[in-house]
């Protein structure tokens, strides 16, 4: 779990701040289980490190690095 969270933060640090990724995008980038990736994203959001932006579909939220 910690490795997935670190990889998510590494990717988000390397891209422009306005870019948003969905859970499916993260699965393509990181590989692995979508549920584990979603859990890591939820934990990062709870820690205040990333933010979730709602998309047109409630089952497909978008994630980005939280503005400082």
């Amino acid at each position: 779990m910690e490795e997935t969270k670190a990889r998510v933060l590494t990717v988000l640090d390397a891209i422009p701040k306005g870019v948003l990724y969905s859970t499916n995008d993260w699965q393509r980038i990181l590989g692995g289980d979508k549920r584990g990736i979603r859990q890591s994203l939820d934990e990062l959001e709870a820690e205040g490190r990333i933010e979730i932006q709602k998309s047109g579909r409630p089952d497909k939220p978008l994630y980005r690095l939280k503005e400082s």
Side-chain angles (χ1 to χ4, degrees), residues 14 52 58 62-63:
I52 299 173
L62 300 171
Y63 302 88

Side-chain angles (χ1 to χ4, degrees), residues 5-47:
K5 288 168 47 175
R7 291 173 66 195
V8 165
L9 292 173
T10 299
V11 170
L12 289 174
D13 280 336
I15 60 172
K17 299 290 184 220
V19 176
L20 303 168
Y21 285 111
S22 71
T23 308
N24 287 338
D25 294 330
W26 286 114
Q27 185 181 23
R28 279 196 309 274
I29 293 167
L30 303 176
D33 180 44
K34 212 186 274 191
R35 288 177 299 234
I37 293 169
R38 182 70 177 256
Q39 184 178 0
S40 295
L41 291 167
D42 289 343
E43 286 182 14
L44 286 169
E45 196 263 334
E47 294 169 4

